[in-house]
Amino acid sequence: PPAIFNDIEIAYPGGREGSKARPLRMIDFFEAVKTGQPYPIKAFFKAAGNPVHNYPNRKRWVNELFPKLDLIVDYDIWMTDTGEYADYVLPDSTSLERMDVCAGFGHITFLEPAIEPLGDVRTFPSLFRELSKRVGLGEYFDKTTEEWLEIRLRSQDPSVAGITPPLTLERLKKEKMVRANLPGEPFDIYRHFLQSQFPTHSGRIEFYAEQLADLGEAIAKYHPALDVGDEEKRKTYPYQFFTGRQRFFMQSFFTDDPLMIKLSGGQPSARMNPVDAEKEDIKDGDLIELFNELGKVKAIMRLDEAIPPGTVQVWFGWRRRQYLEGTYSELLTNLSSPESTDALANRWWEIIVKEGKEGPFFLGGESALAGAWDTLWDAVCNVRKVNGG
């Protein structure tokens, strides 16, 4: 288990109960922009993300959401697909240009900047310190990077509070890495599981969730995928379409790096099983078009027996301009709509976010699946060879 910092005090400087901010699932954000309820959303400030590139149904962002907004700001370390639609692009600092602390593998580590920020780069504290002054909220963002880090380290969680002697930023600067107060050795996985408290009512791994019993979901069960389970739609679009991450890109990072592009094959490609390719009269290296009612993408087809028959795959991460036409996200079903969510997703959102019972990302972060994020595999498509390909 990781060390837990005092981030609540940073996220809610006036206290959580008095905060005017409210978390939104993607479904809530889309509906609020569309309807103006419970209040109009006029600005979109994006940091540490690239929804136009990474989220399903790119056209929904570009054609439906952005035209309704008065202001779009992209804060990032490079020009992204989202930044191409922004009114302002603000240069963020890289991990080589800023001071930070992180936790992992049983230790808390001090990250020193290797260089001073280049050009007009602004770190998070400096950017929001200057912005907050201009909107009358300067008192909440008046600290330096070191002061914010000191607040993070004032955690009451035993993983940090139990460190002896007490962990301070000055100590971390001198020692660079400090062992967190966690049971067992850093890699003693079994001991961690025996002594850890999971974010459940019992504190244990639960195979039966009482709080979901009234929905008939107390025990995990199979739910058919929306598009893939639609037999009528499969008559027109017989293939299941999915994306997959590859080893040379880190999600959508490094897709502009010449070396990574070369190692990734030099251009985007699709993959399908040779059995399906023979039925479609498609050969390895053919130019093909994958399409459905949402959109299409053109790419070179590679035949691969690792791809299960009945499915087609396109690598995740490639920029839209790197395809001959379209992109994979234009084919993907966007589940952030009222008609595609369900009572189970709503219940998890209420338990984890509204009731304040957040858990670690992989141990209770079901809010990420409760309409705040979108599946990247629930889509169907057809395939055809492009003339001259």
Side-chain angles (χ1 to χ4, degrees), residues 152-226:
R152 292 198 81 195
L153 295 176
R154 290 206 300 261
S155 174
Q156 298 302 308
D157 188 85
S159 61
V160 178
I163 296 175
T164 305
L167 182 62
T168 63
L169 185 59
E170 288 305 311
R171 178 188 171 189
L172 201 54
K173 283 183 178 181
K174 293 178 182 178
E175 300 182 30
K176 310 304 181 186
M177 180 183 291
V178 174
R179 178 81 171 88
N181 181 39
L182 296 170
E185 295 300 317
F187 300 100
D188 189 351
I189 299 175
Y190 299 105
R191 183 172 299 187
H192 285 335
F193 271 82
L194 289 172
Q195 300 184 22
S196 294
Q197 290 290 307
F198 291 88
T200 63
H201 286 287
S202 65
R204 301 178 180 181
I205 297 177
E206 294 183 351
F207 295 97
Y208 181 90
E210 184 65 39
Q211 64 269 44
L212 305 179
D214 62 316
L215 301 178
E217 300 285 355
I219 297 178
K221 61 183 181 182
Y222 173 73
H223 289 267
L226 293 179

